Amino acid sequence: MTFAYARVSAADQNLNRQIDSFIQFGVSRRKIFSDKKSGKDFERTGYNKLLKKMKKGDLLIIKSIDRLGRNYDMIIEEWARITRVIGADILVLDMPMLDTRSRGNDLTGKLISNIVLQLLSYVAQKERENINARQREGIASAKLRGVKFGRPLIPMPEDFAECVNAYKTRKITFEDALKNTGMKKSTFYSRIRLTKNRTA
């Protein structure tokens, strides 16, 4: 039986590219499992359903090696679980050398496959670490240049102080204060605190 597994890290990302490649390979849609979740652990519904279905002699197809996990140790351990514990084969479409079906009992083939797997797993982890480092450096650099992150502040109404005073002296209700300022409850209170800090 041939299965396939697709994964993206976030709900707003698209699985179509991976799924299309599986269908082109001839995998039935009913045999394609997927998750929209980070690869930081194996608490993934689709992946766990897949593992329960797979048996010895089955084939698992993935688009790239990092679909199994996000770091070196996870990828190596999961590869061993599928190929040794379950006894299934794996084919990585983006790296045809990683195809356990072609190894047979050839010792050299196994050695080459293992070396390539470990190298690619290492590269996948280093690339993720490099991306995270570049993101941190970019944010730090932007902050030094005065770039602000997060939601922009809602403009303070000109009569905000008068509205707050009217609310505190019970001339208007809290709902009226929110309506007059066009603010949500949390924003209204945070602006009051901000005003106090500036005048303190």
Side-chain angles (χ1 to χ4, degrees):
M1 190 93 52
T2 299
F3 297 95
Y5 177 66
R7 182 181 67 79
V8 289
S9 298
D12 60 350
Q13 292 178 319
N14 201 309
L15 290 161
N16 290 343
R17 186 177 67 89
Q18 296 175 62
I19 292 174
D20 288 347
S21 66
F22 300 147
I23 292 172
Q24 288 172 9
F25 191 85
V27 183
S28 166
R29 278 190 179 272
R30 294 183 295 108
K31 303 299 181 184
I32 299 174
F33 293 80
S34 63
D35 286 302
K36 289 191 172 185
K37 195 168 182 183
S38 166
K40 67 179 180 179
D41 56 42
F42 293 107
E43 295 302 315
R44 305 180 224 146
T45 304
Y47 188 72
N48 288 320
K49 284 182 180 177
L50 166 68
L51 291 180
K52 290 177 182 178
K53 294 277 187 182
M54 281 199 304
K55 296 180 177 61
K56 184 175 181 179
D58 288 341
L59 172 65
L60 172 62
I61 300 175
I62 53 177
K63 180 67 174 165
S64 58
I65 192 66
D66 60 352
R67 298 306 86 195
L68 283 182
R70 74 190 305 179
N71 64 49
Y72 177 87
D73 290 333
M74 288 177 68
I75 294 170
I76 297 297
E77 287 174 15
E78 207 57 19
W79 187 278
R81 171 154 61 147
I82 293 167
T83 59
R84 296 176 189 170
V85 178
I86 296 175
D89 284 305
I90 302 177
L91 167 62
V92 182
L93 294 180
D94 285 353
M95 182 54 62
M97 284 185 71
L98 290 178
D99 182 355
T100 61
R101 297 173 303 170
S102 61
R103 293 185 322 191
N105 294 316
D106 178 52
L107 188 60
T108 303
K110 289 181 180 180
L111 175 64
I112 292 172
S113 182
N114 286 336
I115 290 172
V116 172
L117 171 63
Q118 296 206 28
L119 177 61
L120 289 177
S121 301
Y122 170 80
V123 169
Q125 177 170 336
K126 289 303 293 181
E127 179 60 21
R128 173 172 287 279
E129 290 173 359
N130 290 340
I131 289 171
N132 290 339
R134 287 194 293 269
Q135 287 175 339
R136 288 193 299 270
E137 289 168 1
I139 291 171
S141 177
K143 284 182 177 178
L144 286 174
R145 296 194 310 274
V147 176
K148 302 292 184 184
F149 291 88
R151 293 181 180 178
L153 289 175
I154 297 172
M156 185 89 76
E158 290 183 8
D159 61 344
F160 182 73
E162 290 84 352
C163 189
V164 170
N165 186 56
Y167 161 64
K168 286 183 175 180
T169 56
R170 298 186 180 181
K171 292 178 181 176
I172 61 173
T173 65
F174 181 65
E175 288 71 22
D176 287 335
L178 295 182
K179 187 175 180 180
N180 292 344
T181 58
M183 294 178 175
K184 293 182 179 178
K185 180 178 178 180
S186 58
T187 306
F188 185 78
Y189 282 129
S190 68
R191 283 308 181 88
I192 291 176
R193 287 194 298 270
L194 184 63
T195 304
K196 284 181 179 177
N197 291 337
R198 285 177 177 172
T199 57

